Structures are given as C-alpha cells and as structure tokens.
Amino acid sequence: MTNPLVPPAGPRRVLALAQLANSVGDGAYYVTSALYFTHVVGLAPARVGLGLTLAWAVGSLVGVPLGRLADRRGPRGTAVLLALATGLAVASFLVVRGFVPFVAAACAYAAAQSGLAAARQALLAGLVPAGERTGLLAHLQSTLNAGLAVGAGLGGLALHAGTRAAYLGVFALDAVSFLLCAALLLRLPSPPTAGVTRLHGTGVLRDRPYVLVTLLNTVLLLRMPLLSLGVPLWITERTSAPAWLVSALFVLNTAVVMVFQVRMARGVTGLASATRAIRRSGFVMLASCAVFALSSGTPPWVAAGILVAGAVLQVVAEMQQSAGSWQLGLDLAPADRVGEYQGFFGTGVTVARTMGPLVLTALLVGWGTPGWLLLGVLMLGASYGTGPAARWAAARTADGNTGRGCVRGGDSGTAVVAENRPVRRPSKARLPAT
C-alpha cells in the first residue's frame, strides 16, 4: 500500500522533505501571527488585515514574472533563492515595530511565497514524468497537512505561554524552516531547461483558454475559506451546534486529506480523468452545501451530526477538485513556460482567499439556506465548465498556437498535451514538464 506521506526515494522524497520542513514553520506561524502582530508589535487588527490584503495582492501580481524567471534561469536555483528570501522576510517580522515596515515585510513575504510556489512546480515538472505528477502532488499535499498539524501544535504551545519570547521563537522557527527548505532543494538535480518562447506583451494572459481554466478553478477554490470562515460563521450564527465543533471539523478535514489524498488522486493521469474528477467534485460539493443548509433550526446534537456529514462530503469534493486541478494546471502549460503559467494558475488561491470571505459571508450568513444552495450550484456550474475549457486549451495546443508542441491521445481517448512521456524533437529531448 502506498504511504500517503512518504513518496519513493530520490527527487520525489527530497521535494516532500522540503515541503515538510517549511510547512511545520508555516503551521506555527498561521496560528500565532495575528496575535503576534496585534499583541507584540502593537498593530490594530484592522491594520493587520489591511496590510495582509495588500501583501497578498502584491503576491498575486508577482507570481507570473517570478515564475517566468524560473523558466529562464532554471527552477532549482530560483526556488532556492526564493526559499531564502521567504526565510529572510519572516525573520524581518522579528524587528518590525510599525505599520509601514510591517506592510513592506508582508509584501516581501507574500511575493517570495508566490514565486516559490511557481518555481517549485516548475522544478517538479522538470524532474517527474507528467503521468506521475498528480500522484506526487497528492503526496506533497498530505505532507503539507502533516507539517501544518505539527506546526500548529508548536504554535499552540506558544499561545499557551503567551510571552513575547514564545512568539519570537515561533517566527524564528518559521524562518529557519525555509532555510532548511532551501538546503533540501539545493540537493536536487537541475532539470534541463528549454528556451522560453517569447510572447508579445502579457504572455500567459494571451492564452485565453488557460485563463478561462484558471478563472473556473478560482471559483472552485472558494472551498478554501469555506472551512476556515464560512462554516465557523454558519455554526455560530445560524445553528445551535457547539462552537468547539469548528475546531473538530478542521481536524477532521486535515486528517482525511493526510490519509486519503494520495488514494483519491491515483486515477487522475490525464485530461479526461482530471475533468471527470472535477465534474464529480461539483456534484459532491452541491450535496455538501445542501447538507450544511439542513443544520439550521435543529437541536444541537442533530445539527452537529449534520455538520459532520457536510464536512465529510466537502473534504471528498476538495480532494477530487485538487487532483483534477493539479493535472490540468500542469498539462495545459507549455513545456518551456511552466513557471510562468503556474505563477498565473496560483493566483486563483490568492483571489479565492481575498474575495472568498466577502462572498461567503454574504451568501451564508446573509441569505442562509438559499445562499448555501446558490453556492453549490455555482460550484457545480464551474466544475462542468472546466471540461469544455480544458478541451479548448488542448485543441489550441494541437493547433500549435501557444507553442506547446504536439498532442496525443490521453486517457479515455481524449486529446491531451504530449507531456505524458518524453517528446522527441529534432533539436532537443527533455524530460516532461508541467
């Protein structure tokens, strides 16, 4: 049986260890950062929220150019430098004492994180054959959740201590975790780089099919703030369930992803299987929303049982959507521009986290049951739209309009990008790329 946390030895395991290293630090950072900035640095909560919003807006803008840098200069070296930059940005929080320095440090942190995500995807693409990438990404997701859980526990100890030294220790741990991540990434071989095809002007934004796939994926990513914001607000404002259930549902989600994400992603190997997984996730997400809506107006323990059932459906939809979107985001990108395209694809996470709170608060808290149903229908529509959008992108690949090369038959006879195996070209041969 495949271990959900430990991929095979070699570059895959090194990538997982690098993921584990910085996710432990991030887990501790996530649970303590808000109180650190307000209680230790002395910033008002509204200013912290404004600063982080500005920072992630900057991060979403620089992901593409930093991804392009990885394509041109090599993903391994770029990833190492950005991991070091992230560690330095976290370390700078230790000496921040005002709003303007806080915003500057937060912008540096968000920019380095966004670029690092794109560079690591490009590095993975250069080292792992296309048909095996989604499986490895599932391993990395399980590893991420495990690291976040450990880090959250360490952060909880700092919160319990409540001292300035404890908070500073958490931030120092996060900074060191990124230095360790950089050292691990440096152990990887440098994948061969292809010459980047220079497009005019806005680059990836000219690839309308890929932009559409990214937009639909952003809608599906509204599930991300659902568990951290939408469901907690729903539980406390609209149901009689105990407030501690919020934490229990989060733990349930984390544990299920750790154990089952690899198994859930096993059948996703090409365009057809990816779009099927995303389409199924839309149906399951609609069912989840409908179940969540039923929890209003019921006795406490009945509401709790319904909420647990809704959370189980939600995490199943999450794992299906994740596996499908990983495959599409990588397979539909040009082989020589993976970093740039992944930088753009990754902006969906930032947009969902930025706009999600506004959308979910209005739908769930404001509208109640109709809002849940509307959210489910929106998710189902986006999941169904992803299939035609992905086929449009694959057809443009077949026409050679974006320089992606040839297209071959994929799973279930559907055309997919010819990166599921090495491609022979007159001038060069290279490993598959995302």
Side-chain angles (χ1 to χ4, degrees):
M1 180 177 176
T2 303
N3 191 308
L5 298 179
V6 183
R12 294 168 174 81
R13 186 168 296 176
V14 175
L15 286 168
L17 290 173
Q19 178 80 291
L20 180 64
N22 69 255
S23 62
V24 170
D26 275 346
Y29 168 84
Y30 291 150
V31 300
T32 58
S33 58
L35 292 180
Y36 172 79
F37 293 131
T38 54
H39 292 180
V40 177
V41 179
L43 298 174
R47 286 201 152 196
V48 173
L50 174 61
L52 293 178
T53 299
L54 292 173
W56 286 111
V58 171
S60 67
L61 293 175
V62 303
V64 170
L66 288 177
R68 189 177 295 160
L69 178 66
D71 293 331
R72 293 179 176 175
R73 301 300 182 186
R76 188 192 69 161
T78 305
V80 169
L81 289 176
L82 288 171
L84 293 173
T86 307
L88 290 175
V90 173
S92 70
F93 286 131
L94 297 171
V95 297
V96 162
R97 293 295 179 269
F99 178 67
V100 174
F102 162 69
V103 172
C107 287
Y109 172 77
Q113 279 273 48
S114 297
L116 177 59
R120 285 165 77 160
Q121 290 290 81
L123 179 58
L124 181 151
L127 297 175
V128 180
E132 301 173 19
R133 293 175 197 152
T134 295
L136 176 57
L137 285 167
H139 273 292
L140 296 182
Q141 185 67 24
S142 297
T143 303
L144 172 67
N145 277 26
L148 290 176
V150 173
L154 296 175
L157 295 177
L159 292 176
H160 179 72
T163 63
R164 176 186 176 86
Y167 285 114
L168 293 177
V170 165
F171 276 73
L173 171 66
D174 195 21
V176 171
S177 75
F178 279 98
L179 300 183
L180 179 57
C181 172
L184 288 166
L185 292 175
L186 198 58
R187 293 176 52 191
L188 292 168
S190 294
T193 57
V196 177
T197 303
R198 295 180 178 271
L199 294 185
H200 297 291
T202 52
V204 64
L205 295 179
R206 293 170 58 87
D207 190 343
R208 289 177 296 172
Y210 196 88
V211 170
L212 179 58
V213 171
T214 301
L215 177 62
L216 293 170
N217 187 62
T218 301
V219 174
L220 296 173
L221 287 174
L222 287 175
R223 62 168 175 77
M224 298 182 70
L226 182 64
L227 197 62
S228 61
L229 179 72
V231 171
L233 288 176
W234 174 258
I235 289 175
T236 56
E237 298 290 332
R238 291 278 192 154
T239 79
S240 59
W244 57 259
L245 191 63
V246 171
S247 176
L249 294 183
F250 185 83
V251 172
L252 172 66
N253 179 277
T254 302
V256 170
V257 172
M258 282 174 53
V259 176
F260 294 107
Q261 181 67 82
V262 172
R263 184 178 302 175
M264 189 70 71
R266 196 171 293 158
V268 178
T269 57
L271 178 65
S273 54
T275 55
R276 282 197 303 269
I278 291 175
R279 188 165 59 245
R280 286 195 300 268
S281 79
F283 280 109
V284 178
M285 196 66 206
L286 175 59
S288 172
C289 290
V291 170
F292 276 129
L294 293 175
S295 62
S296 179
T298 59
W301 294 106
V302 174
I306 293 173
L307 289 166
V308 169
V312 169
L313 290 170
Q314 186 273 332
V315 73
V316 171
E318 173 186 335
M319 292 187 291
Q320 291 174 329
Q321 188 269 330
S322 294
S325 66
W326 293 332
Q327 188 77 33
L328 294 184
L330 294 172
D331 273 5
L332 296 175
D336 60 345
R337 303 178 69 196
V338 178
E340 177 185 350
Y341 271 61
Q342 284 298 298
F344 180 72
F345 199 71
T347 60
V349 174
T350 306
V351 172
R353 284 179 170 164
T354 303
M355 301 300 297
L358 298 175
V359 174
L360 295 179
T361 301
L363 287 178
L364 308 185
V365 180
W367 290 14
T369 298
W372 273 113
L373 298 178
L374 179 58
L375 177 64
V377 170
L378 180 65
M379 294 284 199
L380 180 62
S383 69
Y384 255 83
T386 299
R391 288 190 289 273
W392 181 25
R396 292 204 13 128
T397 300
D399 293 338
N401 291 340
T402 56
R404 294 189 185 108
C406 60
V407 173
R408 66 176 179 83
D411 51 358
S412 300
T414 305
V416 297
V417 184
E419 292 156 19
N420 286 342
R421 64 185 64 169
V423 179
R424 296 187 181 275
R425 295 185 176 92
S427 59
K428 60 179 180 288
R430 57 166 292 165
L431 289 173
T434 6

